[in-house]
Amino acid sequence: MQPPLQAQGAMAIVAAILTVPCSAGRRPKRSSQPRGCGSGSLSVRASSGANTVTLLDYGAGNVRSVRNAIRHLGFGIRDVESPEDILAAERLVFPGVGAFGSAMDVLNSTGMADALREYIQRDRPFLGICLGLQLLFDSSEENGPVSGLGVIPGVVRRFDSSNGLIVPHIGWNALQITKDTPLLHGADGQHVYFVHSYHVLPSDANRDWISSICNYGDSFISSISMGNVQAVQFHPEKSGATGLSILKNFLSPISSGTKVPTRRKTSKLAKRVIACLDVRSNDKGDLVVTKGDQYNVRDHTSSKEVRNLGKPVDLASQYYIDGADEVSFLNITGFRDFPLGDLPMLEVLRCASEKVFVPLTVGGGIRDFTDANGRSYSSLEVASEYFRSGADKISIGSDAVYAAEAFLQTGVKTGKSSLEQISRVYGNQAVVVSIDPRRVYVKSQEDVPFKTVKVSTKGPSGEEYAWYQCTVNGGRDNRPIGAYELAKAVEELGAGEILLNCIDCDGQGCGFDIDLVKMVSDAVTIPVIASSGAGAVQHFSEVFEKTNASAALAAGIFHRKEVPILAVKEHLVNAGVEVRL
Ligand code: 1PR
């Protein structure tokens, strides 16, 4: 396997020291040609002239999603290799990735900061994305103060989590357009996808630049626009049809702007509906989407075959079209099969990322591994390969349990666990911990040294309490740690989100385990995704009304086409829950 970074020269130096709070991932191989995934939708035009976009990818993270979206819209990409390439660009996209200070270091040391300032002063077409917006401001408090490009007055500050605000701000939030701009044509009130911990507040000094704001704790700047210079805090490449149309407005500008509405609805972070695909090889060796009952994915008939519910890329693409806010792939045999040997899974990811323009999460098998030839791979290398293949987030299961156990025993963060290493390099927003707990009823809270809940439905012997025992290896092995303890520990170790499954509820269609989801979502300040047990639209409103879950994930009801994603969303709207429609 190649080292994770293909950056060259000065760019490579910086990549090694980056932490990545904004977007995620490391730099993919440079190529202006798309990989073929059997789709006719990916046309790339000549890499010069009107149909070419210049991309400033300074080697700090995964901008594969931006590349995929640009290509999907029919444009070719030319990469910036030198400051002169910036000045020569017809239109420049700058998807800033990484920490503010590290990004400025590389821009300054390569001469690109001056070239960017000059390009912007000349009012040339520019689109900054995420950190690409923040860097335009005077300075940032991220590991700082650190000076920025100084194009726009203002200081980039961290969201204030002291009042319980969940940070990072991850998910879909609605734009409130404040300025007539062609870039945001049709986007007023639409939800777009944000992943960031830092933001800039509107002020008198920067007011003329602001084209939209968004609410999260405070009203922060979600986009700026001045002449041909545009930048957005959100990720258009991951914001579904709305995001693609914003990108298209930049690539093929239209003359009329968007009309500034007179009365605007206040936005808030939408609850997410996630479609999950458990993927593994069936007995014929085909990679299929499967689905278990309480984690048993084999048919109850005499054949005992692995259930086959469809092809991974086809289903993921369909769920994107149907309105899923995110798509998750779980490589459920990753704990025993080394995922980098599982090349079909990586190909699934590559192909899905060319068709799915909402965040993609991939889990399964993220751990250190030694292959048959004695070659060792670190979990960071495994994660890097997933990111390079198109993942926006990775999810760690078993290995996070071992890391949490060690941390709770010693109280020491070694920095060596897969969780710590990956979140340090890619940012915690890129690291999900998937928990696979099983309910264990007890008579009294004192029976176990783990956090218990008073259960809504008593146990088989009238027990009033339960704790939730964590498992590893796809539910096969129990561990001496509860879901509550694990959640708190992995938050400390750098997890950005928790995917909270429940083996008892998996595939049962009786609703999420509200007791479990409430216990965990009340215990942590990172987003919790409720998973396992969805059987009807009411189960989604119930979990959002009774717990602090930020998202709800389902598998079986979507695969079997029992409940369309749109029906879930419409039900949530009627129940007064903010969602992206
Ligand atoms: O331990 O890092 O290799 O990760 C393995 C990953 O694979 C973990 O995230 C683990 O949850 C998952 N996994 C392992 N075995 C199974 C299995 O089903 N036999 N799937 C499995 C977990 C649970 C959810 C499921 C929901 C919703 N599947 O992903 O999609 O329960 O289902 P429902 O809506 O039909 O009820 P590692």
Side-chain angles (χ1 to χ4, degrees):
M1 191 181 125
Q2 292 295 309
L5 189 66
Q6 277 84 34
Q8 300 157 8
M11 300 176 198
I13 300 166
V14 170
I17 56 169
L18 285 177
T19 55
V20 187
C22 178
S23 181
R26 290 218 172 191
R27 187 185 197 186
K29 279 182 183 159
R30 286 190 170 187
S31 162
S32 59
Q33 296 302 317
R35 283 166 182 272
C37 284
S39 158
S41 66
L42 290 163
S43 62
V44 172
R45 302 186 187 176
S47 58
S48 64
N51 294 321
T52 300
V53 181
T54 302
L55 188 75
L56 175 47
D57 170 7
Y58 51 90
N62 180 13
V63 298
R64 186 188 178 95
S65 304
V66 177
R67 291 173 186 275
N68 282 340
I70 292 171
R71 287 178 181 136
H72 178 81
L73 292 169
F75 286 77
I77 294 167
R78 179 187 292 148
D79 281 292
V80 169
E81 299 288 348
S82 69
E84 292 70 41
D85 293 338
I86 292 177
L87 295 172
E90 290 286 325
R91 50 178 102 63
L92 182 69
V93 174
F94 179 26
V97 190
F100 192 102
S102 308
M104 279 310 299
D105 283 348
V106 78
L107 293 177
N108 284 325
S109 66
T110 54
M112 290 193 192
D114 286 338
L116 270 173
R117 285 190 197 97
E118 188 177 338
Y119 182 84
I120 289 168
Q121 263 164 18
R122 287 187 199 166
D123 193 28
R124 302 290 301 142
F126 173 88
L127 178 64
I129 297 174
C130 197
L131 187 67
L133 173 139
Q134 296 177 4
L135 292 166
L136 297 176
F137 286 85
D138 287 331
S139 64
S140 172
E141 288 183 348
E142 184 180 3
N143 304 324
V146 182
S147 295
L149 291 168
V151 173
I152 308 176
V155 178
V156 180
R157 297 181 204 279
R158 195 169 193 278
F159 282 109
D160 180 5
S161 57
S162 60
N163 291 329
L165 191 72
I166 293 175
V167 180
H169 173 222
I170 298 184
W172 298 80
N173 211 328
L175 293 177
Q176 301 168 56
I177 292 177
T178 56
K179 188 190 213 178
D180 199 14
T181 163
L183 185 80
L184 301 179
H185 180 76
D188 189 50
Q190 298 294 314
H191 289 89
V192 288
Y193 189 76
F194 291 87
V195 185
H196 59 130
S197 299
Y198 289 80
H199 66 306
V200 194
L201 295 180
S203 70
D204 286 343
N206 59 35
R207 201 162 304 282
D208 290 349
W209 283 88
I210 303 171
S211 56
S212 73
I213 55 167
C214 188
N215 288 331
Y216 193 64
D218 291 307
S219 286
F220 68 89
I221 298 174
S222 45
S223 63
I224 60 93
S225 171
M226 184 77 83
N228 287 313
V229 178
Q230 325 269 345
V232 295
Q233 178 61 70
F234 53 91
H235 288 266
E237 75 282 7
K238 285 285 150 187
S239 295
T242 299
L244 289 179
S245 90
I246 290 171
L247 263 183
K248 189 157 179 263
N249 291 341
F250 175 71
L251 300 174
S252 317
I254 47 170
S255 51
S256 71
T258 188
K259 233 179 155 26
V260 180
T262 45
R263 293 176 63 198
R264 266 172 250 115
K265 204 179 112 209
T266 307
S267 64
K268 63 179 185 206
L269 189 61
K271 299 290 184 180
R272 287 170 280 156
V273 175
I274 300 176
C276 182
L277 297 92
D278 290 353
V279 178
R280 62 161 286 170
S281 296
N282 65 10
D283 298 328
K284 295 183 196 111
D286 302 323
L287 205 63
V288 298
V289 174
T290 189
K291 185 68 216 54
D293 283 328
Q294 299 182 327
Y295 284 33
N296 180 4
V297 297
R298 292 194 175 266
D299 256 340
H300 296 313
T301 59
S302 56
S303 73
K304 296 237 180 327
E305 275 184 25
V306 170
R307 287 192 202 109
N308 179 350
L309 292 164
K311 293 184 181 170
V313 178
D314 291 354
L315 278 182
S317 309
Q318 190 58 49
Y319 295 147
Y320 164 63
I321 291 165
D322 292 348
D325 296 317
E326 284 182 39
V327 175
S328 293
F329 288 110
L330 293 178
N331 186 353
I332 67 170
T333 50
F335 69 89
R336 61 166 184 245
D337 307 323
F338 180 48
L340 299 190
D342 195 355
L343 295 174
M345 184 65 204
L346 298 177
E347 193 58 20
V348 160
L349 202 47
R350 287 184 197 111
C351 291
S353 68
E354 289 175 1
K355 296 173 175 179
V356 174
F357 297 100
V358 293
L360 272 178
T361 302
V362 176
I366 296 181
R367 65 195 156 93
D368 296 342
F369 187 87
T370 303
D371 70 13
N373 302 321
R375 159 83 156 97
S376 294
Y377 299 84
S378 71
S379 55
L380 188 57
E381 284 176 287
V382 179
S384 298
E385 194 57 38
Y386 274 152
F387 284 126
R388 264 205 301 278
S389 301
D392 299 291
K393 303 188 244 186
I394 56 89
S395 142
I396 309 175
S398 308
D399 215 46
V401 179
Y402 301 129
E405 287 177 15
F407 172 55
L408 290 176
Q409 261 167 24
T410 61
V412 175
K413 291 188 210 171
T414 62
K416 291 185 179 155
S417 66
S418 54
L419 171 53
E420 291 163 285
Q421 288 187 50
I422 298 166
S423 63
R424 192 167 52 242
V425 173
Y426 289 95
N428 61 358
Q429 82 295 328
V431 182
V432 182
V433 166
S434 169
I435 309 184
D436 299 316
R438 194 177 269 122
R439 197 184 308 128
V440 183
Y441 290 104
V442 286
K443 289 229 155 51
S444 117
Q445 289 169 285
E446 282 71 49
D447 286 359
V448 282
F450 308 106
K451 173 94 171 167
T452 57
V453 285
K454 193 159 201 280
V455 285
S456 323
T457 308
K458 287 184 184 169
S461 307
E463 297 94 334
E464 290 194 352
Y465 295 92
W467 70 290
Y468 289 86
Q469 181 168 23
C470 293
T471 65
V472 292
N473 300 339
R476 285 167 185 78
D477 302 313
N478 294 332
R479 299 298 306 179
I481 183 170
Y484 173 91
E485 290 77 18
L486 180 75
K488 289 191 77 74
V490 297
E491 179 178 24
E492 278 273 306
L493 291 173
E497 232 175 342
I498 287 174
L499 165 54
L500 185 58
N501 302 296
C502 177
I503 296 177
D504 308 84
C505 296
D506 176 55
Q508 304 307 294
C510 300
F512 299 97
D513 189 320
I514 299 296
D515 298 328
L516 168 67
V517 179
K518 182 162 173 35
M519 175 178 74
V520 173
S521 62
D522 284 347
V524 293
T525 61
I526 51 177
V528 171
I529 302 165
S531 166
S532 305
V537 292
Q538 292 78 5
H539 294 148
F540 291 83
S541 49
E542 183 189 29
V543 79
F544 290 135
E545 279 157 10
K546 295 185 177 169
T547 78
N548 279 320
S550 299
L553 172 151
I557 53 167
F558 297 150
H559 302 337
R560 296 187 299 267
K561 301 188 177 16
E562 289 163 7
V563 179
I565 293 172
L566 186 59
V568 174
K569 298 274 190 91
E570 285 174 346
H571 169 80
L572 289 172
V573 169
N574 291 335
V577 178
E578 177 137 350
V579 291
R580 174 186 75 114
L581 275 179

